[in-house]
Amino acid sequence: MAIGVFDSGVGGLTVHRELTRRFPGRDFVYLADQANAPYGGRGGEEIVELTRAGCARLFDAGASVVVLACNTASAIALRRLQQTWIAGERDRLGRPLNVLGIIVPTIEAATGLPWSYEAERGGRLEGQKKSSLEVTGVFCTAATAMSRVYEIEIDKRRDDLAVFSEPCPGLAGLIELGASTEELKVVVDEHVDALRRRIGRHPDKAVLGCTHYEIVADLFMSALPPETTLIHQPSAVADALERYFTRHPDYPLGDGGRRDFLTTGVPGPQSERVSRFWGEPLSFDPA
Ligand code: DGL
């Protein structure tokens, strides 16, 4: 049994790396749906169906808990899968299974409040006066931006935080294809500047709300001023998963330190940028 990590491509490796640091003895299976990446420009139903197929593949490969290390899949598909699919999947395989997402932990980190806060208190944390409004910028795919999930969920919890999502169409695809630093820098600079113009200044905090962007975090950090702090999504997810496993010690997660990397796309070595991020060459096996 194992922890499954799912992404449309290489972006989820940023989360996987943090999770394997946090749970080194556990078994992990990573699935990149590279045959269908990028997800960010796809329609909702397609994203739901692709995410469902990816999770089923991971459960078949022995995962008990699948982490959707993909903002787009978490924003568009997670609730549907939890409400309409996972129960049947538990019956099919006859064991405890679950799918968790990446957005709830990120919102908890961005607001400093547990997810249950809104349901328990039934309202927002009344913040300071509007003059001290803090601005969080979320760089993400077009599908995530269109869902407005970050704006809606943060606004329910904090009235002193304003959220601006900046869709960066094409950026995940370029990272996936191993584009050069020069090419990527132009695109990152453009979006950081577009967000600055929309807000009227740089954001106080930024979320790289597409896991692929963490691979080029250095480019975002050099485009943003030093005063803008990054909310680190991989650590937020690892913190949340640690709390989840403490509350649910019943999931068998394996203890052999197994690491499998599967792709629906072309198996083999990943781009040089991915190897650099990973610290050594990384090769995927066929899913
Ligand atoms: N890495 C994914 C995310 O976090 C999706 C990128 C894509 O496939 O467009 O949103």
Side-chain angles (χ1 to χ4, degrees), residues 4-6 29-31 53-63 66 262:
V5 180
F6 177 76
V29 192
Y30 184 91
L31 175 63
C55 291
R57 178 72 190 82
L58 280 166
F59 289 141
D60 286 337
V66 169
L262 308 176

Side-chain angles (χ1 to χ4, degrees), residues 7-9 11-12 36-41 69-73 102 140-141 144 172-173 176 209-213 233:
D7 188 64
S8 60
N36 299 298
Y39 280 12
C70 175
N71 289 264
T72 310
I102 190 170
C140 58
T141 65
T144 302
E176 196 63 44
C210 166
T211 50
H212 281 74
Y213 305 170
Q233 214 174 25

